[in-house]
Amino acid sequence: MEPVTIAIVEDDDGHAHLIQKNLRRGNINNPISRFANGRIFLDYLYSEESRKKQHLVLLDLNMPELDGYEVLKRMKEDDRYRRIPVIVLTTTDDTREIERCYDAGCNVYITKPVEYLKFSEAIRELGLLLNVMAVP
């Protein structure tokens, strides 16, 4: 069986690069694909290419065209995609937003630290979690 593909759905190039770099530092060797907004990601997810793979999604909330909330909602309402694990990775730390994401079906909610070193460390720790996480 192919390794799980990690989909980074993040509009900020710098954040996307940091996430990928620090996942690799956390010994995550899975294939990683980056999508610059929710619309591009959902187009991919509904494609024939995507159906042949297992995924884990790292999802930013605040993106142009189609935000992370809508991506999460559409994934969890569709029987084909509702079991794909979704880790929300965003700067929003408002309790209502966190509850909204869990209510919509996210598996983990991580607030991106603003400080570079703390952000890097949070992503490395996420890498440790991904090393032991089972994906359906």
Side-chain angles (χ1 to χ4, degrees):
M1 180 175 257
E2 277 189 48
V4 172
T5 296
I6 298 172
I8 299 173
V9 187
E10 167 67 67
D11 63 315
D12 184 290
D13 291 338
H15 285 181
H17 176 73
L18 263 180
I19 291 166
Q20 186 165 348
K21 182 171 92 173
N22 285 293
L23 284 175
R24 295 293 184 222
R25 284 184 179 167
N27 294 320
I28 297 296
N29 296 311
N30 299 57
I32 296 175
S33 298
R34 191 271 178 119
F35 304 89
N37 66 52
R39 170 90 45 230
I40 295 168
F41 172 67
L42 285 181
D43 287 348
Y44 161 78
L45 192 63
Y46 299 145
S47 74
E48 191 63 38
E49 175 190 355
S50 166
R51 289 190 191 105
K52 300 173 190 170
K53 299 177 182 179
Q54 283 188 300
H55 294 89
L56 173 106
V57 178
L58 302 180
L59 181 64
D60 185 27
L61 294 178
N62 304 308
M63 295 180 291
E65 285 197 48
L66 194 65
D67 67 24
Y69 298 108
E70 188 63 25
V71 170
L72 180 62
K73 178 178 175 275
R74 290 185 190 186
M75 286 180 68
K76 298 305 178 176
E77 288 176 347
D78 190 318
D79 286 342
R80 296 171 295 178
Y81 308 113
R82 67 181 172 83
R83 291 189 182 199
I84 294 174
V86 176
I87 298 174
V88 171
L89 189 58
T90 188
T91 55
T92 307
D93 64 357
D94 183 292
T95 304
R96 292 171 303 211
E97 300 300 327
I98 295 169
E99 289 174 1
R100 180 179 172 199
C101 287
Y102 278 115
D103 288 346
C106 88
N107 299 87
V108 178
Y109 189 104
I110 298 174
T111 303
K112 295 179 198 170
V114 176
E115 185 184 311
Y116 173 83
L117 290 175
K118 287 183 180 177
F119 182 60
S120 296
E121 183 58 31
I123 300 302
R124 274 194 293 276
E125 288 174 8
L126 173 62
L128 296 174
L129 170 68
L130 297 179
N131 272 322
V132 298
M133 187 171 157
V135 176

mmCIF file of all heavy atoms in Angstrom, residues 43-77:
data_model
loop_
_atom_site.group_PDB
_atom_site.id
_atom_site.type_symbol
_atom_site.label_atom_id
_atom_site.label_comp_id
_atom_site.label_asym_id
_atom_site.label_seq_id
_atom_site.Cartn_x
_atom_site.Cartn_y
_atom_site.Cartn_z
ATOM 1 N N ASP A 43 -10.811 20.524 -6.066
ATOM 2 C CA ASP A 43 -10.720 20.058 -7.451
ATOM 3 C C ASP A 43 -9.827 18.824 -7.533
ATOM 4 O O ASP A 43 -10.149 17.841 -8.208
ATOM 5 C CB ASP A 43 -10.190 21.156 -8.374
ATOM 6 C CG ASP A 43 -11.208 22.254 -8.633
ATOM 7 O OD1 ASP A 43 -12.402 22.083 -8.295
ATOM 8 O OD2 ASP A 43 -10.799 23.313 -9.158
ATOM 9 N N TYR A 44 -8.703 18.874 -6.835
ATOM 10 C CA TYR A 44 -7.801 17.720 -6.782
ATOM 11 C C TYR A 44 -8.469 16.528 -6.087
ATOM 12 O O TYR A 44 -8.426 15.400 -6.582
ATOM 13 C CB TYR A 44 -6.503 18.088 -6.066
ATOM 14 C CG TYR A 44 -5.739 16.884 -5.588
ATOM 15 C CD1 TYR A 44 -4.983 16.118 -6.476
ATOM 16 C CD2 TYR A 44 -5.787 16.490 -4.255
ATOM 17 C CE1 TYR A 44 -4.302 14.982 -6.047
ATOM 18 C CE2 TYR A 44 -5.112 15.360 -3.815
ATOM 19 C CZ TYR A 44 -4.379 14.622 -4.715
ATOM 20 O OH TYR A 44 -3.708 13.492 -4.289
ATOM 21 N N LEU A 45 -9.089 16.785 -4.932
ATOM 22 C CA LEU A 45 -9.688 15.714 -4.137
ATOM 23 C C LEU A 45 -10.740 14.949 -4.937
ATOM 24 O O LEU A 45 -10.854 13.735 -4.837
ATOM 25 C CB LEU A 45 -10.302 16.284 -2.856
ATOM 26 C CG LEU A 45 -10.702 15.272 -1.797
ATOM 27 C CD1 LEU A 45 -9.481 14.512 -1.281
ATOM 28 C CD2 LEU A 45 -11.408 15.972 -0.642
ATOM 29 N N TYR A 46 -11.512 15.666 -5.771
ATOM 30 C CA TYR A 46 -12.556 15.040 -6.577
ATOM 31 C C TYR A 46 -12.015 14.400 -7.851
ATOM 32 O O TYR A 46 -12.775 13.801 -8.607
ATOM 33 C CB TYR A 46 -13.635 16.068 -6.937
ATOM 34 C CG TYR A 46 -14.346 16.669 -5.745
ATOM 35 C CD1 TYR A 46 -14.752 17.996 -5.759
ATOM 36 C CD2 TYR A 46 -14.612 15.935 -4.594
ATOM 37 C CE1 TYR A 46 -15.409 18.560 -4.677
ATOM 38 C CE2 TYR A 46 -15.265 16.489 -3.507
ATOM 39 C CZ TYR A 46 -15.667 17.804 -3.552
ATOM 40 O OH TYR A 46 -16.306 18.361 -2.476
ATOM 41 N N SER A 47 -10.712 14.515 -8.096
ATOM 42 C CA SER A 47 -10.119 13.992 -9.326
ATOM 43 C C SER A 47 -9.844 12.490 -9.242
ATOM 44 O O SER A 47 -9.764 11.910 -8.158
ATOM 45 C CB SER A 47 -8.805 14.726 -9.641
ATOM 46 O OG SER A 47 -7.786 14.294 -8.750
ATOM 47 N N GLU A 48 -9.674 11.892 -10.395
ATOM 48 C CA GLU A 48 -9.346 10.467 -10.476
ATOM 49 C C GLU A 48 -8.001 10.175 -9.810
ATOM 50 O O GLU A 48 -7.841 9.164 -9.138
ATOM 51 C CB GLU A 48 -9.315 10.032 -11.959
ATOM 52 C CG GLU A 48 -9.246 8.548 -12.158
ATOM 53 C CD GLU A 48 -10.457 7.801 -11.617
ATOM 54 O OE1 GLU A 48 -11.580 8.309 -11.728
ATOM 55 O OE2 GLU A 48 -10.265 6.697 -11.073
ATOM 56 N N GLU A 49 -7.035 11.066 -9.989
ATOM 57 C CA GLU A 49 -5.703 10.894 -9.395
ATOM 58 C C GLU A 49 -5.789 10.754 -7.873
ATOM 59 O O GLU A 49 -5.133 9.916 -7.272
ATOM 60 C CB GLU A 49 -4.826 12.102 -9.746
ATOM 61 C CG GLU A 49 -3.470 12.088 -9.080
ATOM 62 C CD GLU A 49 -2.726 13.406 -9.243
ATOM 63 O OE1 GLU A 49 -3.205 14.306 -9.945
ATOM 64 O OE2 GLU A 49 -1.651 13.516 -8.637
ATOM 65 N N SER A 50 -6.626 11.561 -7.260
ATOM 66 C CA SER A 50 -6.752 11.569 -5.805
ATOM 67 C C SER A 50 -7.361 10.280 -5.270
ATOM 68 O O SER A 50 -6.989 9.809 -4.193
ATOM 69 C CB SER A 50 -7.607 12.761 -5.377
ATOM 70 O OG SER A 50 -8.005 12.625 -4.038
ATOM 71 N N ARG A 51 -8.285 9.703 -5.997
ATOM 72 C CA ARG A 51 -9.010 8.519 -5.511
ATOM 73 C C ARG A 51 -8.106 7.312 -5.296
ATOM 74 O O ARG A 51 -8.474 6.382 -4.591
ATOM 75 C CB ARG A 51 -10.138 8.168 -6.467
ATOM 76 C CG ARG A 51 -11.248 9.184 -6.404
ATOM 77 C CD ARG A 51 -12.481 8.727 -7.155
ATOM 78 N NE ARG A 51 -13.379 9.852 -7.265
ATOM 79 C CZ ARG A 51 -13.580 10.546 -8.371
ATOM 80 N NH1 ARG A 51 -12.966 10.210 -9.473
ATOM 81 N NH2 ARG A 51 -14.404 11.569 -8.381
ATOM 82 N N LYS A 52 -6.946 7.324 -5.903
ATOM 83 C CA LYS A 52 -6.010 6.202 -5.788
ATOM 84 C C LYS A 52 -5.119 6.319 -4.556
ATOM 85 O O LYS A 52 -4.310 5.446 -4.307
ATOM 86 C CB LYS A 52 -5.132 6.148 -7.035
ATOM 87 C CG LYS A 52 -5.900 5.964 -8.317
ATOM 88 C CD LYS A 52 -4.984 6.087 -9.507
ATOM 89 C CE LYS A 52 -5.801 6.147 -10.791
ATOM 90 N NZ LYS A 52 -4.986 6.485 -11.942
ATOM 91 N N LYS A 53 -5.275 7.401 -3.779
ATOM 92 C CA LYS A 53 -4.361 7.670 -2.669
ATOM 93 C C LYS A 53 -5.107 7.805 -1.350
ATOM 94 O O LYS A 53 -6.272 8.146 -1.312
ATOM 95 C CB LYS A 53 -3.603 8.974 -2.923
ATOM 96 C CG LYS A 53 -2.762 8.970 -4.166
ATOM 97 C CD LYS A 53 -2.107 10.313 -4.379
ATOM 98 C CE LYS A 53 -1.291 10.315 -5.665
ATOM 99 N NZ LYS A 53 -0.663 11.604 -5.894
ATOM 100 N N GLN A 54 -4.361 7.551 -0.271
ATOM 101 C CA GLN A 54 -4.839 7.880 1.068
ATOM 102 C C GLN A 54 -4.289 9.253 1.409
ATOM 103 O O GLN A 54 -3.160 9.593 1.028
ATOM 104 C CB GLN A 54 -4.307 6.887 2.093
ATOM 105 C CG GLN A 54 -5.011 5.557 2.100
ATOM 106 C CD GLN A 54 -4.526 4.753 3.280
ATOM 107 O OE1 GLN A 54 -3.343 4.467 3.377
ATOM 108 N NE2 GLN A 54 -5.426 4.402 4.164
ATOM 109 N N HIS A 55 -5.056 10.048 2.158
ATOM 110 C CA HIS A 55 -4.652 11.422 2.457
ATOM 111 C C HIS A 55 -4.756 11.744 3.937
ATOM 112 O O HIS A 55 -5.545 11.149 4.663
ATOM 113 C CB HIS A 55 -5.550 12.414 1.698
ATOM 114 C CG HIS A 55 -5.395 12.351 0.228
ATOM 115 N ND1 HIS A 55 -6.138 11.509 -0.561
ATOM 116 C CD2 HIS A 55 -4.576 13.020 -0.608
ATOM 117 C CE1 HIS A 55 -5.769 11.656 -1.811
ATOM 118 N NE2 HIS A 55 -4.831 12.565 -1.878
ATOM 119 N N LEU A 56 -3.983 12.716 4.307
ATOM 120 C CA LEU A 56 -4.096 13.410 5.577
ATOM 121 C C LEU A 56 -4.017 14.882 5.203
ATOM 122 O O LEU A 56 -3.144 15.276 4.420
ATOM 123 C CB LEU A 56 -2.940 13.042 6.514
ATOM 124 C CG LEU A 56 -2.928 13.859 7.780
ATOM 125 C CD1 LEU A 56 -3.394 13.010 8.948
ATOM 126 C CD2 LEU A 56 -1.543 14.363 8.064
ATOM 127 N N VAL A 57 -4.937 15.688 5.726
ATOM 128 C CA VAL A 57 -5.027 17.082 5.292
ATOM 129 C C VAL A 57 -4.601 18.015 6.420
ATOM 130 O O VAL A 57 -5.101 17.909 7.544
ATOM 131 C CB VAL A 57 -6.473 17.423 4.845
ATOM 132 C CG1 VAL A 57 -6.574 18.885 4.430
ATOM 133 C CG2 VAL A 57 -6.911 16.504 3.715
ATOM 134 N N LEU A 58 -3.663 18.908 6.120
ATOM 135 C CA LEU A 58 -3.295 20.017 7.001
ATOM 136 C C LEU A 58 -3.954 21.247 6.396
ATOM 137 O O LEU A 58 -3.590 21.682 5.308
ATOM 138 C CB LEU A 58 -1.774 20.186 7.062
ATOM 139 C CG LEU A 58 -0.981 18.975 7.529
ATOM 140 C CD1 LEU A 58 0.511 19.291 7.551
ATOM 141 C CD2 LEU A 58 -1.435 18.514 8.895
ATOM 142 N N LEU A 59 -4.938 21.785 7.109
ATOM 143 C CA LEU A 59 -5.840 22.768 6.526
ATOM 144 C C LEU A 59 -5.767 24.115 7.243
ATOM 145 O O LEU A 59 -6.028 24.199 8.440
ATOM 146 C CB LEU A 59 -7.277 22.224 6.610
ATOM 147 C CG LEU A 59 -8.407 23.069 6.051
ATOM 148 C CD1 LEU A 59 -8.255 23.257 4.542
ATOM 149 C CD2 LEU A 59 -9.746 22.402 6.374
ATOM 150 N N ASP A 60 -5.434 25.147 6.479
ATOM 151 C CA ASP A 60 -5.526 26.515 6.979
ATOM 152 C C ASP A 60 -6.987 26.946 6.859
ATOM 153 O O ASP A 60 -7.719 26.452 6.010
ATOM 154 C CB ASP A 60 -4.621 27.436 6.145
ATOM 155 C CG ASP A 60 -4.561 28.860 6.683
ATOM 156 O OD1 ASP A 60 -4.751 29.058 7.899
ATOM 157 O OD2 ASP A 60 -4.326 29.773 5.873
ATOM 158 N N LEU A 61 -7.423 27.866 7.708
ATOM 159 C CA LEU A 61 -8.812 28.322 7.666
ATOM 160 C C LEU A 61 -9.009 29.536 6.784
ATOM 161 O O LEU A 61 -9.972 29.623 6.033
ATOM 162 C CB LEU A 61 -9.315 28.640 9.082
ATOM 163 C CG LEU A 61 -9.435 27.462 10.029
ATOM 164 C CD1 LEU A 61 -9.906 27.939 11.398
ATOM 165 C CD2 LEU A 61 -10.358 26.388 9.482
ATOM 166 N N ASN A 62 -8.112 30.495 6.881
ATOM 167 C CA ASN A 62 -8.292 31.790 6.223
ATOM 168 C C ASN A 62 -7.572 31.817 4.883
ATOM 169 O O ASN A 62 -6.380 32.089 4.816
ATOM 170 C CB ASN A 62 -7.788 32.905 7.138
ATOM 171 C CG ASN A 62 -8.482 32.864 8.482
ATOM 172 O OD1 ASN A 62 -9.710 32.834 8.553
ATOM 173 N ND2 ASN A 62 -7.707 32.827 9.550
ATOM 174 N N MET A 63 -8.337 31.499 3.829
ATOM 175 C CA MET A 63 -7.775 31.453 2.483
ATOM 176 C C MET A 63 -8.733 32.123 1.507
ATOM 177 O O MET A 63 -9.939 32.152 1.747
ATOM 178 C CB MET A 63 -7.568 29.999 2.038
ATOM 179 C CG MET A 63 -6.550 29.241 2.837
ATOM 180 S SD MET A 63 -6.374 27.537 2.224
ATOM 181 C CE MET A 63 -7.948 26.827 2.692
ATOM 182 N N PRO A 64 -8.200 32.613 0.388
ATOM 183 C CA PRO A 64 -9.072 33.197 -0.639
ATOM 184 C C PRO A 64 -9.830 32.106 -1.401
ATOM 185 O O PRO A 64 -9.484 30.930 -1.321
ATOM 186 C CB PRO A 64 -8.081 33.914 -1.559
ATOM 187 C CG PRO A 64 -6.796 33.170 -1.383
ATOM 188 C CD PRO A 64 -6.784 32.695 0.049
ATOM 189 N N GLU A 65 -10.829 32.516 -2.121
ATOM 190 C CA GLU A 65 -11.668 31.679 -2.989
ATOM 191 C C GLU A 65 -12.558 30.722 -2.210
ATOM 192 O O GLU A 65 -13.758 30.792 -2.323
ATOM 193 C CB GLU A 65 -10.848 30.909 -4.020
ATOM 194 C CG GLU A 65 -10.355 31.789 -5.136
ATOM 195 C CD GLU A 65 -9.910 31.000 -6.329
ATOM 196 O OE1 GLU A 65 -10.645 30.097 -6.781
ATOM 197 O OE2 GLU A 65 -8.820 31.291 -6.827
ATOM 198 N N LEU A 66 -11.984 29.811 -1.458
ATOM 199 C CA LEU A 66 -12.763 28.856 -0.674
ATOM 200 C C LEU A 66 -11.996 28.626 0.620
ATOM 201 O O LEU A 66 -10.886 28.101 0.605
ATOM 202 C CB LEU A 66 -12.924 27.552 -1.457
ATOM 203 C CG LEU A 66 -13.958 26.575 -0.946
ATOM 204 C CD1 LEU A 66 -15.362 27.168 -1.068
ATOM 205 C CD2 LEU A 66 -13.883 25.276 -1.722
ATOM 206 N N ASP A 67 -12.586 29.053 1.737
ATOM 207 C CA ASP A 67 -11.844 28.976 2.999
ATOM 208 C C ASP A 67 -11.854 27.566 3.588
ATOM 209 O O ASP A 67 -12.550 26.671 3.115
ATOM 210 C CB ASP A 67 -12.357 30.014 4.001
ATOM 211 C CG ASP A 67 -13.773 29.762 4.494
ATOM 212 O OD1 ASP A 67 -14.243 28.604 4.465
ATOM 213 O OD2 ASP A 67 -14.402 30.734 4.939
ATOM 214 N N GLY A 68 -11.066 27.395 4.622
ATOM 215 C CA GLY A 68 -10.916 26.088 5.253
ATOM 216 C C GLY A 68 -12.197 25.563 5.876
ATOM 217 O O GLY A 68 -12.428 24.352 5.900
ATOM 218 N N TYR A 69 -13.025 26.440 6.393
ATOM 219 C CA TYR A 69 -14.296 26.004 6.971
ATOM 220 C C TYR A 69 -15.152 25.303 5.916
ATOM 221 O O TYR A 69 -15.742 24.253 6.166
ATOM 222 C CB TYR A 69 -15.087 27.187 7.543
ATOM 223 C CG TYR A 69 -14.400 27.912 8.656
ATOM 224 C CD1 TYR A 69 -13.863 29.176 8.449
ATOM 225 C CD2 TYR A 69 -14.286 27.341 9.917
ATOM 226 C CE1 TYR A 69 -13.238 29.861 9.474
ATOM 227 C CE2 TYR A 69 -13.659 28.023 10.955
ATOM 228 C CZ TYR A 69 -13.134 29.280 10.731
ATOM 229 O OH TYR A 69 -12.511 29.939 11.739
ATOM 230 N N GLU A 70 -15.223 25.902 4.738
ATOM 231 C CA GLU A 70 -16.038 25.336 3.669
ATOM 232 C C GLU A 70 -15.432 24.032 3.156
ATOM 233 O O GLU A 70 -16.153 23.080 2.854
ATOM 234 C CB GLU A 70 -16.207 26.345 2.529
ATOM 235 C CG GLU A 70 -17.188 25.917 1.471
ATOM 236 C CD GLU A 70 -18.620 25.745 1.964
ATOM 237 O OE1 GLU A 70 -19.019 26.370 2.966
ATOM 238 O OE2 GLU A 70 -19.355 24.938 1.331
ATOM 239 N N VAL A 71 -14.110 23.964 3.064
ATOM 240 C CA VAL A 71 -13.443 22.724 2.651
ATOM 241 C C VAL A 71 -13.777 21.615 3.642
ATOM 242 O O VAL A 71 -14.170 20.503 3.254
ATOM 243 C CB VAL A 71 -11.910 22.925 2.554
ATOM 244 C CG1 VAL A 71 -11.199 21.586 2.361
ATOM 245 C CG2 VAL A 71 -11.561 23.877 1.419
ATOM 246 N N LEU A 72 -13.633 21.906 4.922
ATOM 247 C CA LEU A 72 -13.918 20.926 5.967
ATOM 248 C C LEU A 72 -15.373 20.462 5.887
ATOM 249 O O LEU A 72 -15.660 19.256 5.926
ATOM 250 C CB LEU A 72 -13.613 21.541 7.338
ATOM 251 C CG LEU A 72 -13.844 20.659 8.555
ATOM 252 C CD1 LEU A 72 -12.942 19.433 8.525
ATOM 253 C CD2 LEU A 72 -13.579 21.474 9.828
ATOM 254 N N LYS A 73 -16.283 21.402 5.754
ATOM 255 C CA LYS A 73 -17.711 21.091 5.677
ATOM 256 C C LYS A 73 -18.000 20.162 4.498
ATOM 257 O O LYS A 73 -18.677 19.142 4.644
ATOM 258 C CB LYS A 73 -18.506 22.385 5.539
ATOM 259 C CG LYS A 73 -20.000 22.222 5.392
ATOM 260 C CD LYS A 73 -20.661 23.612 5.321
ATOM 261 C CE LYS A 73 -22.136 23.521 5.055
ATOM 262 N NZ LYS A 73 -22.468 23.407 3.644
ATOM 263 N N ARG A 74 -17.465 20.494 3.336
ATOM 264 C CA ARG A 74 -17.728 19.690 2.133
ATOM 265 C C ARG A 74 -17.119 18.292 2.253
ATOM 266 O O ARG A 74 -17.728 17.307 1.822
ATOM 267 C CB ARG A 74 -17.204 20.394 0.889
ATOM 268 C CG ARG A 74 -18.015 21.627 0.550
ATOM 269 C CD ARG A 74 -17.560 22.247 -0.741
ATOM 270 N NE ARG A 74 -18.166 23.549 -0.950
ATOM 271 C CZ ARG A 74 -18.019 24.255 -2.050
ATOM 272 N NH1 ARG A 74 -17.296 23.794 -3.054
ATOM 273 N NH2 ARG A 74 -18.595 25.437 -2.160
ATOM 274 N N MET A 75 -15.926 18.207 2.828
ATOM 275 C CA MET A 75 -15.288 16.897 2.996
ATOM 276 C C MET A 75 -16.110 16.011 3.920
ATOM 277 O O MET A 75 -16.332 14.832 3.637
ATOM 278 C CB MET A 75 -13.877 17.053 3.556
ATOM 279 C CG MET A 75 -12.860 17.560 2.582
ATOM 280 S SD MET A 75 -11.239 17.713 3.361
ATOM 281 C CE MET A 75 -10.837 15.976 3.658
ATOM 282 N N LYS A 76 -16.528 16.553 5.036
ATOM 283 C CA LYS A 76 -17.207 15.742 6.050
ATOM 284 C C LYS A 76 -18.655 15.421 5.684
ATOM 285 O O LYS A 76 -19.237 14.491 6.238
ATOM 286 C CB LYS A 76 -17.122 16.427 7.414
ATOM 287 C CG LYS A 76 -15.681 16.595 7.912
ATOM 288 C CD LYS A 76 -14.928 15.272 7.941
ATOM 289 C CE LYS A 76 -13.497 15.439 8.393
ATOM 290 N NZ LYS A 76 -12.766 14.189 8.520
ATOM 291 N N GLU A 77 -19.222 16.151 4.727
ATOM 292 C CA GLU A 77 -20.578 15.850 4.260
ATOM 293 C C GLU A 77 -20.583 14.808 3.137
ATOM 294 O O GLU A 77 -21.631 14.291 2.788
ATOM 295 C CB GLU A 77 -21.264 17.125 3.754
ATOM 296 C CG GLU A 77 -21.657 18.075 4.860
ATOM 297 C CD GLU A 77 -22.249 19.380 4.337
ATOM 298 O OE1 GLU A 77 -22.134 19.678 3.123
ATOM 299 O OE2 GLU A 77 -22.803 20.123 5.158
#
